[in-house]
């Protein structure tokens, strides 16, 4: 190797051909993997995979991208979890659309950073157009703004930061945030990061459909006032992570208005309805929010990460503004230079917006909406299957695309034993690699969960996976009888 060899890896005009070859070969390998994938997972354990990764000598480079790709087949690609597979039914992960993957390849090669105009140019304007587009779909009005974030967790944190700063109360110990018992844990994490007391997040109970009980919210808000505390924010969830349930947004908006409280709508999951051709009305009321979280990487079929926080009043974003002489000096505001860092919790920031841009330009909003509608319909079919099947108990009829259910053997009444059978079935399924399902709790008991975000999954896949689950659970209960005797 000559001393100049490392330069051969820099992406510049001289090496444009090497870049082309490299990316093409990488794309070939991934395409071959995805075309040939047998199941969503090989079922490998961390113990069996770790030696392969530990054996890699990081101080001895291969000097050859093809050789590095060969190695990657063993360390990663062979045993990755493939969300593209129709029997990956576990978490809120989606298969990705090709225009977005193309955007990803472009944005990392050009490597714009969205903190300032002088590091991004058109990229900043593209991001701003997409923020406006999303705010318009929500109906936030003419003063709306927002910024792309790393995910729903950061979006919720920023929204609650703005809510706290807009709140007149000085004493953080007096602030209360209201969110349903099914809201995302990032609400609590945000409260902690914002220095709020441990009991600051008031958990509001849900009805049997896992939607916030507005009578309970009204009661909690009145109690808050009586106790001399300050309601800092109400968080409504439009698509709970477990049940896909949508809180009654108009009623919650009414109560938030009555108590002069910031309304945040966490639509990390439910944002897919913004482009739905059939179910957009389920989001009615979202237009009354002060801030909204949307995760395009959940229901817009975008690669991780792609997410945004939107606000009704762009002035509120000033709470995230700090000036640095080296980056965005105060005068750049007067000069009207569009520096997105003024609105963001991040500094150096990816041009994730390009993925959504490419998707809208190739597939269109209706195209995404159609895909999301398909998975919601699939969940409705899955619910009918489960409701008719005496082997299973299903919790709620889905509004979006999740199903929470559990296997209930006819012969066994002990709920703890049923818990164990369901836990076993999930583990055994994962180890087999035939399908992947998630798990959660409902009413204190262990349940299984399908999150359906793959339009290629069919009702027959769902039926087949239910049979696999029942098979593993029965096997466990049979073995358990043997153990007991
Ligand atoms: C997934 C999720 C989040 C967190 O989003 P990330 O992108 O994973 O950080 C927040 N709220 C809800 C309702 C979610 O489902």
């Amino acid at each position: 190797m000559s001393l100049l060899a490392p330069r051969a890896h820099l992406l510049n005009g001289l090496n444009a051909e090497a870049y082309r070859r490299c990316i093409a070969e990488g794309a070939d390998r991934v395409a071959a993997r995805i075309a040939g994938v047998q199941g969503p997972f090989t079922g490998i354990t961390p113990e069996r995979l770790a030696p392969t990764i530990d054996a890699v000598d990081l101080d001895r480079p291969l000097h050859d991208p093809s050789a590095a790709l060969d190695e990657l087949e063993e360390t990663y690609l062979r045993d990755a979890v493939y969300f593209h597979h129709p029997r990956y039914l576990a978490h809120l992960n989606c298969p990705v659309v090709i225009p977005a993957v193309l955007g990803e390849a472009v944005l990392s090669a050009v490597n714009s950073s969205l903190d300032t105009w002088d590091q991004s140019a058109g990229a900043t304007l593209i991001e701003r157009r997409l923020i406006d587009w999303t705010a318009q779909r929500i109906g936030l009005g003419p003063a709306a703004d927002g910024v792309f974030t790393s995910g729903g967790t950061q979006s919720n944190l920023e929204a609650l930061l703005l809510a706290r700063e807009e709140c007149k109360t000085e004493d953080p110990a007096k602030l209360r945030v209201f969110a349903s018992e099914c809201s995302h844990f990032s609400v609590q994490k945000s409260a902690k990061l914002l220095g709020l007391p441990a009991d600051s997040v008031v958990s509001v109970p849900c009805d049997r459909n896992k939607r916030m009980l507005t009578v309970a919210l009204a009661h909690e808000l009145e109690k808050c006032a009586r106790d001399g505390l300050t309601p800092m924010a109400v968080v409504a969830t439009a698509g709970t992570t477990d049940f896909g349930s949508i809180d009654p947004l108009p009623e919650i908006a009414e109560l938030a208005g009555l108590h002069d409280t910031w309304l945040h709508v966490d639509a990390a999951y439910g944002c897919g309805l913004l482009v739905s051709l059939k179910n957009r009305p389920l989001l009615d009321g979202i237009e009354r929010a002060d801030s909204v979280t949307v995760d395009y990487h959940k229901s817009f079929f975008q690669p991780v990460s792609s997410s945004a926080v939107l606000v009704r009043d762009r002035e509120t974003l000033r709470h995230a503004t700090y000036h640095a002489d080296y980056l965005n000096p105060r005068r750049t505001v007067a000069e009207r230079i569009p520096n997105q860092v003024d609105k963001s919790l991040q500094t150096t920031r990816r041009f994730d917006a390009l993925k959504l841009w490419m998707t809208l330009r190739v597939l269109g909003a209706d195209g995404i909406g159609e895909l999301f509608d398909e998975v919601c319909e699939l969940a409705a079919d899955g619910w009918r299957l489960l409701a008719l099947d005496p082997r299973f108990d299903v919790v709620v009829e889905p509004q979006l695309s999740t199903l929470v259910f559990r296997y209930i053997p006819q012969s066994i009444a002990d709920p703890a034993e049923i818990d164990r059978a369901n836990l076993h079935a999930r583990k055994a399924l994962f180890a087999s690699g035939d399908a992947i399902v998630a798990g959660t709790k409902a009413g204190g008991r262990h349940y299984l969960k399908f999150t359906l975000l793959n339009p290629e999954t069919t009702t027959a896949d769902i039926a087949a996976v239910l049979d696999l689950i029942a098979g593993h659970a029965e096997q466990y209960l049979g073995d358990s009888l043997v153990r007991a005797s």
Side-chain angles (χ1 to χ4, degrees):
M1 279 291 148
S2 86
L3 278 177
L4 282 178
R7 289 257 184 122
H9 297 289
L10 282 176
L11 177 47
N12 59 25
L14 288 176
N15 297 327
E17 190 45 42
Y19 158 70
R20 211 175 263 132
R21 264 189 281 115
C22 219
I23 296 297
E25 187 178 355
D28 278 347
R29 302 278 188 125
V30 173
R33 267 292 156 193
I34 288 174
V37 81
Q38 297 295 308
F41 184 44
T42 58
I44 199 161
T45 60
E47 293 75 24
R48 269 176 47 222
L49 187 54
T52 314
I53 291 174
D54 292 343
V56 172
D57 185 347
L58 290 174
D59 293 315
R60 271 173 192 262
L62 299 163
H63 295 294
D64 173 8
S66 298
L69 280 170
D70 287 341
E71 186 182 88
L72 197 68
E73 299 271 359
E74 307 293 311
T75 52
Y76 174 55
L77 292 174
R78 188 189 57 208
D79 298 298
V81 173
Y82 286 96
F83 304 154
H84 318 77
H85 195 277
R87 294 196 182 176
Y88 176 85
L89 310 172
H91 302 285
L92 270 166
N93 310 111
C94 50
V96 290
V97 291
I98 294 168
V101 179
L102 172 61
E104 183 77 68
V106 173
L107 75 93
S108 59
V110 180
N111 198 29
S112 296
S113 179
L114 275 273
D115 32 351
T116 53
W117 165 256
D118 71 357
Q119 301 175 72
S120 57
T124 281
L125 302 181
I126 285 175
E127 171 166 313
R128 288 184 161 210
R129 278 290 307 276
L130 289 170
I131 288 291
D132 291 347
W133 178 85
T134 307
Q136 206 158 21
R137 288 251 164 191
I138 297 171
L140 284 180
D145 198 0
V147 71
F148 272 66
T149 67
S150 58
T153 301
Q154 187 189 148
S155 296
N156 285 346
L157 173 62
E158 178 156 357
L160 290 174
L161 167 73
L162 305 184
R164 189 192 66 187
E165 297 301 303
E166 285 292 304
C167 198
K168 315 282 181 292
T169 305
E170 294 290 315
D171 183 1
K174 294 210 153 142
L175 299 177
R176 292 294 178 272
V177 175
F178 301 83
S180 95
E181 57 182 333
C182 296
S183 64
H184 194 261
F185 70 91
S186 56
V187 173
Q188 275 158 300
K189 208 190 250 190
S190 300
K192 181 163 192 175
L193 285 164
L194 292 170
L196 303 185
D199 58 353
S200 62
V201 180
V202 177
S203 178
V204 182
C206 286
D207 64 14
R208 41 191 287 276
N209 291 315
K210 306 295 178 185
R211 306 167 74 213
M212 187 191 278
L213 267 170
T214 43
V215 283
L217 175 65
H219 172 81
E220 290 293 353
L221 283 165
E222 281 154 24
K223 180 169 178 300
C224 179
R226 268 202 316 277
D227 294 347
L229 302 170
T230 308
M232 179 189 112
V234 173
V235 178
T237 311
T240 59
T241 314
D242 271 348
F243 303 100
S245 46
I246 298 165
D247 287 342
L249 303 175
E251 288 90 334
I252 293 173
E254 208 57 43
L255 285 168
L258 206 62
H259 290 263
D260 195 21
T261 299
W262 184 281
L263 173 62
H264 176 62
V265 176
D266 180 356
Y269 176 18
C271 64
L273 295 175
L274 292 173
V275 286
S276 165
L277 308 178
K278 294 182 182 151
N279 299 321
R280 174 61 178 81
L282 289 174
L283 286 182
D284 283 354
I286 194 173
E287 69 286 351
R288 295 168 70 178
D290 294 293
S291 57
V292 178
T293 288
V294 294
D295 253 358
Y296 310 106
H297 63 214
K298 281 189 181 153
S299 42
F300 275 64
F301 306 94
Q302 299 294 296
V304 180
S305 46
S306 183
S307 187
V309 61
L310 291 304
V311 295
R312 156 178 310 286
D313 175 6
R314 67 171 68 91
E315 289 303 314
T316 59
L317 288 167
R318 74 184 181 283
H319 301 304
T321 310
Y322 284 79
H323 292 286
D325 292 336
Y326 83 90
L327 189 68
N328 58 336
R330 222 167 270 281
R331 67 168 185 279
T332 56
V333 177
E335 289 169 5
R336 304 180 71 84
I337 296 170
N339 289 335
Q340 292 292 83
V341 70
D342 295 352
K343 309 171 191 175
S344 176
L345 299 186
Q346 294 169 261
T347 307
T348 306
R349 193 164 53 84
R350 292 164 55 82
F351 181 24
D352 286 319
L354 182 61
K355 296 178 278 194
L356 179 59
W357 181 268
M358 293 298 281
T359 304
L360 291 179
R361 297 312 299 138
V362 177
L363 191 61
D366 288 355
I368 309 166
E370 214 168 285
L371 293 176
F372 193 62
D373 285 345
E374 274 185 51
V375 294
C376 292
E377 248 162 67
L378 179 67
D381 291 344
W383 183 79
R384 278 186 285 272
L385 274 186
L386 279 161
L388 290 171
D389 191 331
R391 297 174 300 172
F392 295 98
D393 168 40
V394 57
V395 182
V396 292
E397 190 172 352
Q399 284 187 290
L400 297 179
S401 65
T402 65
L403 293 164
V404 177
F405 60 94
R406 84 193 213 126
Y407 175 77
I408 37 162
Q410 301 307 303
S411 54
I412 289 171
D414 176 12
E417 181 71 350
I418 301 176
D419 275 355
R420 286 190 288 273
N422 281 278
L423 286 169
H424 171 84
R426 180 185 173 204
K427 253 192 182 164
L429 198 59
F430 186 71
S432 74
D434 294 333
I436 307 184
V437 306
T440 191
K441 276 187 158 182
R445 307 263 49 125
H446 287 283
Y447 275 76
L448 302 172
K449 177 168 86 160
F450 289 161
T451 308
L452 304 170
L453 280 177
N454 190 343
E456 297 287 309
T457 302
T458 61
T459 319
D461 285 310
I462 292 182
V465 175
L466 288 176
D467 286 341
L468 289 171
I469 289 168
H472 287 298
E474 277 153 24
Q475 171 89 42
Y476 173 84
L477 293 167
D479 291 352
S480 150
L481 277 180
V482 173
R483 279 195 299 275
S485 63

